[in-house]
Short mmCIF file of all heavy atoms in Angstrom, two decimals:
data_model
loop_
_atom_site.label_atom_id
_atom_site.label_comp_id
_atom_site.label_asym_id
_atom_site.label_seq_id
_atom_site.Cartn_x
_atom_site.Cartn_y
_atom_site.Cartn_z
N VAL A 29 95.21 89.61 80.63
CA VAL A 29 95.06 88.84 81.88
C VAL A 29 96.10 89.42 82.83
O VAL A 29 97.27 89.53 82.49
CB VAL A 29 95.29 87.35 81.70
CG1 VAL A 29 95.16 86.64 83.11
CG2 VAL A 29 94.32 86.65 80.70
N LEU A 30 95.63 89.85 84.08
CA LEU A 30 96.49 90.46 84.99
C LEU A 30 96.54 89.68 86.32
O LEU A 30 95.50 89.13 86.68
CB LEU A 30 95.96 91.88 85.40
CG LEU A 30 95.92 92.88 84.25
CD1 LEU A 30 95.25 94.22 84.71
CD2 LEU A 30 97.28 93.14 83.57
N GLY A 31 97.73 89.59 86.91
CA GLY A 31 97.87 88.81 88.17
C GLY A 31 98.65 89.59 89.16
O GLY A 31 99.49 90.43 88.85
N HIS A 32 98.44 89.25 90.44
CA HIS A 32 99.07 89.97 91.52
C HIS A 32 99.30 89.01 92.71
O HIS A 32 98.42 88.23 93.07
CB HIS A 32 98.22 91.12 91.95
CG HIS A 32 98.83 92.04 92.96
ND1 HIS A 32 98.62 91.94 94.30
CD2 HIS A 32 99.72 93.07 92.77
CE1 HIS A 32 99.35 92.87 94.92
NE2 HIS A 32 99.95 93.61 94.06
N ARG A 33 100.51 89.11 93.23
CA ARG A 33 100.80 88.48 94.54
C ARG A 33 100.99 89.55 95.56
O ARG A 33 101.71 90.52 95.29
CB ARG A 33 102.08 87.63 94.48
CG ARG A 33 101.90 86.35 93.75
CD ARG A 33 100.95 85.37 94.20
NE ARG A 33 101.01 85.17 95.66
CZ ARG A 33 100.12 84.35 96.37
NH1 ARG A 33 99.20 83.69 95.68
NH2 ARG A 33 100.19 84.36 97.67
N ARG A 34 100.38 89.50 96.77
CA ARG A 34 100.30 90.62 97.66
C ARG A 34 101.07 90.39 98.89
O ARG A 34 100.92 89.37 99.58
CB ARG A 34 98.86 90.94 98.03
CG ARG A 34 98.74 92.12 98.89
CD ARG A 34 97.23 92.61 99.08
NE ARG A 34 97.27 93.85 99.77
CZ ARG A 34 96.30 94.06 100.65
NH1 ARG A 34 95.30 93.15 100.88
NH2 ARG A 34 96.27 95.27 101.30
N LEU A 35 101.89 91.34 99.26
CA LEU A 35 102.48 91.48 100.59
C LEU A 35 101.77 92.56 101.26
O LEU A 35 101.92 93.75 100.85
CB LEU A 35 103.97 91.75 100.48
CG LEU A 35 104.72 91.97 101.81
CD1 LEU A 35 104.63 90.72 102.78
CD2 LEU A 35 106.16 92.39 101.58
N SER A 36 100.94 92.26 102.18
CA SER A 36 99.99 93.26 102.82
C SER A 36 100.83 94.27 103.71
O SER A 36 101.33 93.74 104.72
CB SER A 36 98.87 92.63 103.61
OG SER A 36 98.06 91.73 102.75
N ILE A 37 100.79 95.48 103.34
CA ILE A 37 101.43 96.52 104.17
C ILE A 37 100.46 97.67 104.44
O ILE A 37 100.32 98.10 105.61
CB ILE A 37 102.73 97.10 103.43
CG1 ILE A 37 103.71 95.96 103.27
CG2 ILE A 37 103.26 98.29 104.20
CD1 ILE A 37 104.91 96.31 102.46
N ILE A 38 99.76 98.16 103.47
CA ILE A 38 98.83 99.26 103.57
C ILE A 38 97.37 98.63 103.32
O ILE A 38 97.27 97.84 102.38
CB ILE A 38 99.07 100.35 102.57
CG1 ILE A 38 100.43 100.98 102.93
CG2 ILE A 38 97.95 101.41 102.57
CD1 ILE A 38 100.86 102.04 101.93
N ASP A 39 96.42 99.06 104.04
CA ASP A 39 95.03 98.59 103.90
C ASP A 39 94.97 97.06 103.88
O ASP A 39 94.67 96.41 102.87
CB ASP A 39 94.44 99.18 102.70
CG ASP A 39 92.89 99.04 102.67
OD1 ASP A 39 92.31 98.58 103.66
OD2 ASP A 39 92.23 99.24 101.58
N LEU A 40 95.29 96.53 105.03
CA LEU A 40 95.33 95.08 105.12
C LEU A 40 94.09 94.31 104.77
O LEU A 40 94.13 93.17 104.33
CB LEU A 40 95.81 94.68 106.55
CG LEU A 40 97.14 95.29 107.01
CD1 LEU A 40 97.47 94.91 108.43
CD2 LEU A 40 98.27 95.08 106.05
N SER A 41 92.94 94.97 105.01
CA SER A 41 91.62 94.24 104.88
C SER A 41 91.05 94.40 103.41
O SER A 41 90.24 93.55 103.05
CB SER A 41 90.64 94.67 105.90
OG SER A 41 90.32 96.06 105.66
N SER A 42 91.32 95.43 102.68
CA SER A 42 90.66 95.65 101.39
C SER A 42 91.47 96.14 100.25
O SER A 42 90.95 96.74 99.32
CB SER A 42 89.42 96.58 101.61
OG SER A 42 89.93 97.88 102.06
N GLY A 43 92.78 95.89 100.28
CA GLY A 43 93.58 96.42 99.16
C GLY A 43 93.92 95.43 98.12
O GLY A 43 94.98 95.49 97.53
N GLN A 44 93.02 94.45 97.96
CA GLN A 44 93.33 93.33 97.02
C GLN A 44 93.49 93.84 95.57
O GLN A 44 92.81 94.83 95.20
CB GLN A 44 92.18 92.28 97.02
CG GLN A 44 92.10 91.43 98.37
CD GLN A 44 91.42 92.27 99.39
OE1 GLN A 44 90.79 93.28 99.22
NE2 GLN A 44 91.55 91.74 100.64
N GLN A 45 94.35 93.23 94.84
CA GLN A 45 94.58 93.51 93.41
C GLN A 45 94.51 92.21 92.62
O GLN A 45 94.69 91.15 93.20
CB GLN A 45 95.98 94.12 93.26
CG GLN A 45 96.15 95.49 93.88
CD GLN A 45 97.49 96.06 93.57
OE1 GLN A 45 97.91 96.00 92.45
NE2 GLN A 45 98.16 96.58 94.60
N PRO A 46 94.35 92.31 91.40
CA PRO A 46 94.04 93.51 90.56
C PRO A 46 92.81 94.27 91.06
O PRO A 46 91.85 93.60 91.51
CB PRO A 46 93.80 92.96 89.13
CG PRO A 46 94.49 91.61 89.10
CD PRO A 46 94.40 91.12 90.52
N MET A 47 92.82 95.57 90.93
CA MET A 47 91.83 96.39 91.38
C MET A 47 91.16 97.15 90.20
O MET A 47 91.90 97.72 89.38
CB MET A 47 92.39 97.47 92.41
CG MET A 47 91.31 98.32 93.05
SD MET A 47 92.15 99.54 94.21
CE MET A 47 92.64 98.42 95.51
N SER A 48 89.83 97.22 90.23
CA SER A 48 89.08 97.84 89.08
C SER A 48 88.34 99.02 89.64
O SER A 48 87.97 99.06 90.79
CB SER A 48 88.15 96.91 88.46
OG SER A 48 88.83 95.81 87.85
N THR A 49 88.09 99.95 88.78
CA THR A 49 87.12 100.99 89.08
C THR A 49 85.71 100.45 89.24
O THR A 49 85.48 99.31 88.81
CB THR A 49 87.10 102.11 88.01
OG1 THR A 49 86.83 101.50 86.77
CG2 THR A 49 88.43 102.92 87.90
N SER A 50 84.88 101.20 89.93
CA SER A 50 83.56 100.62 90.20
C SER A 50 82.72 100.32 88.96
O SER A 50 81.92 99.39 88.97
CB SER A 50 82.70 101.59 91.11
OG SER A 50 82.58 102.85 90.44
N ASP A 51 83.02 100.95 87.89
CA ASP A 51 82.37 100.65 86.57
C ASP A 51 83.04 99.60 85.78
O ASP A 51 82.51 99.19 84.79
CB ASP A 51 82.11 101.98 85.79
CG ASP A 51 83.40 102.57 85.31
OD1 ASP A 51 84.52 102.06 85.61
OD2 ASP A 51 83.32 103.66 84.64
N GLY A 52 84.19 99.16 86.21
CA GLY A 52 84.95 98.08 85.54
C GLY A 52 85.75 98.57 84.36
O GLY A 52 86.35 97.81 83.64
N ARG A 53 85.78 99.85 84.10
CA ARG A 53 86.43 100.35 82.88
C ARG A 53 87.91 100.22 82.97
O ARG A 53 88.56 100.02 81.93
CB ARG A 53 85.98 101.73 82.65
CG ARG A 53 86.61 102.33 81.32
CD ARG A 53 86.01 103.63 80.99
NE ARG A 53 86.63 104.13 79.75
CZ ARG A 53 86.56 105.32 79.24
NH1 ARG A 53 85.87 106.23 79.91
NH2 ARG A 53 87.12 105.69 78.14
N TYR A 54 88.49 100.54 84.14
CA TYR A 54 89.92 100.53 84.32
C TYR A 54 90.32 99.46 85.38
O TYR A 54 89.57 99.28 86.40
CB TYR A 54 90.42 101.85 84.75
CG TYR A 54 90.20 102.93 83.75
CD1 TYR A 54 89.04 103.86 83.92
CD2 TYR A 54 90.92 103.11 82.65
CE1 TYR A 54 88.84 104.85 83.07
CE2 TYR A 54 90.65 104.11 81.73
CZ TYR A 54 89.61 104.95 81.87
OH TYR A 54 89.34 105.93 81.02
N CYS A 55 91.43 98.85 85.22
CA CYS A 55 91.94 97.84 86.12
C CYS A 55 93.46 98.15 86.27
O CYS A 55 94.18 98.47 85.33
CB CYS A 55 91.63 96.46 85.59
SG CYS A 55 92.00 95.15 86.70
N ILE A 56 93.98 97.81 87.51
CA ILE A 56 95.37 98.02 87.77
C ILE A 56 95.98 96.87 88.58
O ILE A 56 95.30 96.29 89.45
CB ILE A 56 95.54 99.39 88.51
CG1 ILE A 56 97.05 99.73 88.67
CG2 ILE A 56 94.87 99.36 89.87
CD1 ILE A 56 97.26 101.09 89.23
N VAL A 57 97.26 96.60 88.34
CA VAL A 57 98.10 95.87 89.23
C VAL A 57 99.26 96.81 89.48
O VAL A 57 99.70 97.46 88.61
CB VAL A 57 98.54 94.55 88.68
CG1 VAL A 57 97.44 93.51 88.67
CG2 VAL A 57 99.25 94.62 87.33
N PHE A 58 99.64 96.94 90.72
CA PHE A 58 100.66 97.97 91.11
C PHE A 58 101.58 97.34 92.13
O PHE A 58 101.19 96.65 93.07
CB PHE A 58 99.92 99.10 91.71
CG PHE A 58 100.80 100.19 92.20
CD1 PHE A 58 101.62 100.92 91.42
CD2 PHE A 58 100.70 100.59 93.58
CE1 PHE A 58 102.42 101.96 91.93
CE2 PHE A 58 101.47 101.55 94.09
CZ PHE A 58 102.36 102.23 93.29
N ASN A 59 102.91 97.54 91.93
CA ASN A 59 103.91 97.12 92.87
C ASN A 59 104.71 98.31 93.20
O ASN A 59 105.50 98.86 92.41
CB ASN A 59 104.85 96.07 92.29
CG ASN A 59 105.90 95.64 93.21
OD1 ASN A 59 105.80 95.86 94.42
ND2 ASN A 59 106.92 95.00 92.68
N GLY A 60 104.44 98.92 94.35
CA GLY A 60 105.13 100.17 94.80
C GLY A 60 104.42 100.65 96.06
O GLY A 60 103.61 100.05 96.59
N GLU A 61 104.85 101.93 96.39
CA GLU A 61 104.13 102.56 97.44
C GLU A 61 104.16 104.07 97.13
O GLU A 61 105.15 104.66 96.76
CB GLU A 61 104.89 102.30 98.77
CG GLU A 61 104.09 102.85 99.98
CD GLU A 61 104.71 102.45 101.26
OE1 GLU A 61 105.56 101.51 101.40
OE2 GLU A 61 104.35 103.13 102.32
N ILE A 62 102.99 104.68 97.31
CA ILE A 62 102.88 106.11 97.10
C ILE A 62 102.81 106.72 98.53
O ILE A 62 101.81 106.64 99.24
CB ILE A 62 101.57 106.42 96.32
CG1 ILE A 62 101.57 105.68 94.99
CG2 ILE A 62 101.42 107.96 96.13
CD1 ILE A 62 100.31 105.74 94.21
N TYR A 63 103.85 107.36 98.84
CA TYR A 63 104.05 107.83 100.26
C TYR A 63 103.12 109.08 100.59
O TYR A 63 102.69 109.17 101.68
CB TYR A 63 105.54 108.30 100.47
CG TYR A 63 106.45 107.07 100.42
CD1 TYR A 63 107.32 106.99 99.27
CD2 TYR A 63 106.44 106.14 101.33
CE1 TYR A 63 108.19 105.94 99.22
CE2 TYR A 63 107.32 105.06 101.25
CZ TYR A 63 108.20 104.98 100.25
OH TYR A 63 108.98 103.85 100.12
N ASN A 64 102.74 109.79 99.51
CA ASN A 64 101.82 110.90 99.85
C ASN A 64 100.39 110.67 99.44
O ASN A 64 99.57 111.60 99.15
CB ASN A 64 102.34 112.24 99.20
CG ASN A 64 102.26 112.13 97.64
OD1 ASN A 64 102.34 111.02 97.04
ND2 ASN A 64 102.18 113.24 96.95
N PHE A 65 100.02 109.41 99.39
CA PHE A 65 98.67 109.03 98.93
C PHE A 65 97.57 109.61 99.88
O PHE A 65 96.52 109.96 99.32
CB PHE A 65 98.51 107.52 98.67
CG PHE A 65 98.14 106.72 99.91
CD1 PHE A 65 96.77 106.51 100.18
CD2 PHE A 65 99.11 106.21 100.75
CE1 PHE A 65 96.46 105.70 101.33
CE2 PHE A 65 98.69 105.42 101.83
CZ PHE A 65 97.39 105.21 102.16
N PRO A 66 97.82 109.75 101.12
CA PRO A 66 96.64 110.38 101.93
C PRO A 66 96.39 111.79 101.51
O PRO A 66 95.19 112.21 101.40
CB PRO A 66 97.23 110.40 103.41
CG PRO A 66 98.21 109.25 103.41
CD PRO A 66 98.85 109.31 102.06
N GLU A 67 97.42 112.57 101.12
CA GLU A 67 97.14 113.97 100.66
C GLU A 67 96.45 113.95 99.27
O GLU A 67 95.55 114.73 99.03
CB GLU A 67 98.44 114.73 100.55
CG GLU A 67 99.14 115.04 101.91
CD GLU A 67 99.96 113.86 102.40
OE1 GLU A 67 100.14 112.88 101.70
OE2 GLU A 67 100.43 114.01 103.61
N LEU A 68 96.98 113.02 98.43
CA LEU A 68 96.35 112.95 97.10
C LEU A 68 94.85 112.47 97.22
O LEU A 68 94.03 112.96 96.48
CB LEU A 68 97.10 111.93 96.21
CG LEU A 68 98.56 112.30 95.93
CD1 LEU A 68 99.26 111.17 95.24
CD2 LEU A 68 98.60 113.56 95.04
N ARG A 69 94.63 111.57 98.11
CA ARG A 69 93.27 111.00 98.30
C ARG A 69 92.35 112.15 98.82
O ARG A 69 91.20 112.35 98.25
CB ARG A 69 93.32 109.97 99.36
CG ARG A 69 91.93 109.32 99.70
CD ARG A 69 91.96 108.38 100.80
NE ARG A 69 90.73 107.98 101.24
CZ ARG A 69 90.12 106.77 101.04
NH1 ARG A 69 90.85 105.88 100.39
NH2 ARG A 69 88.95 106.53 101.52
N LYS A 70 92.82 112.99 99.81
CA LYS A 70 91.98 114.17 100.21
C LYS A 70 91.68 115.05 99.04
O LYS A 70 90.52 115.59 98.94
CB LYS A 70 92.69 114.83 101.34
CG LYS A 70 92.74 114.10 102.63
CD LYS A 70 93.48 114.88 103.70
CE LYS A 70 93.61 114.04 104.98
NZ LYS A 70 94.47 114.65 105.96
N GLU A 71 92.64 115.36 98.24
CA GLU A 71 92.41 116.21 97.08
C GLU A 71 91.38 115.67 96.10
O GLU A 71 90.44 116.31 95.62
CB GLU A 71 93.71 116.42 96.33
CG GLU A 71 93.62 117.41 95.16
CD GLU A 71 94.96 117.59 94.48
OE1 GLU A 71 96.07 117.51 95.13
OE2 GLU A 71 95.00 117.71 93.21
N LEU A 72 91.42 114.31 95.89
CA LEU A 72 90.46 113.70 94.97
C LEU A 72 89.07 113.76 95.68
O LEU A 72 88.00 113.85 94.96
CB LEU A 72 90.85 112.24 94.72
CG LEU A 72 92.15 112.15 93.82
CD1 LEU A 72 92.62 110.76 93.76
CD2 LEU A 72 91.82 112.64 92.36
N GLU A 73 88.94 113.51 97.01
CA GLU A 73 87.68 113.54 97.64
C GLU A 73 87.02 114.88 97.52
O GLU A 73 85.80 114.98 97.46
CB GLU A 73 87.90 113.11 99.16
CG GLU A 73 88.14 111.63 99.27
CD GLU A 73 88.49 111.22 100.72
OE1 GLU A 73 89.13 112.00 101.44
OE2 GLU A 73 88.16 110.05 101.12
N THR A 74 87.83 115.94 97.58
CA THR A 74 87.24 117.28 97.41
C THR A 74 86.65 117.49 95.99
O THR A 74 85.77 118.31 95.78
CB THR A 74 88.21 118.47 97.61
OG1 THR A 74 89.23 118.34 96.67
CG2 THR A 74 88.87 118.36 99.04
N LYS A 75 87.04 116.68 95.03
CA LYS A 75 86.54 116.69 93.67
C LYS A 75 85.36 115.62 93.48
O LYS A 75 84.89 115.50 92.42
CB LYS A 75 87.63 116.33 92.70
CG LYS A 75 88.73 117.42 92.60
CD LYS A 75 89.80 117.05 91.79
CE LYS A 75 90.90 118.16 91.87
NZ LYS A 75 92.00 117.84 90.93
N GLY A 76 84.93 115.07 94.61
CA GLY A 76 83.76 114.20 94.55
C GLY A 76 84.07 112.75 94.35
O GLY A 76 83.22 111.93 94.26
#
C-alpha cells in the first residue's frame, strides 16, 4: 500500500501520486525534484 501527500510545484494539474504506468505494472511515490527532467523526457520521447 503506497500513499502520498502532495505539495504541487511541477505539473499542477496532472502530477498526482501514487503514479502508475499505463499498464499498471509499475507504481511510484516520489519525494524530490529532478532538475533535468525536461532533457530526460525528450530523450525518452525519441525512443517512442
Side-chain angles (χ1 to χ4, degrees):
V29 180
L30 301 175
H32 187 265
R33 288 297 320 176
R34 184 170 187 220
L35 175 64
S36 299
I37 297 173
I38 295 175
D39 194 7
L40 305 180
S41 64
S42 64
Q44 293 81 11
Q45 294 185 46
M47 184 180 290
S48 297
T49 54
S50 59
D51 63 3
R53 182 171 182 195
Y54 300 100
C55 186
I56 187 174
V57 289
F58 175 64
N59 181 18
E61 187 172 345
I62 302 170
Y63 296 107
N64 67 334
F65 86 93
E67 293 84 4
L68 296 172
R69 180 187 170 107
K70 286 179 186 174
E71 184 179 326
L72 292 168
E73 288 174 328
T74 65
K75 296 178 181 180

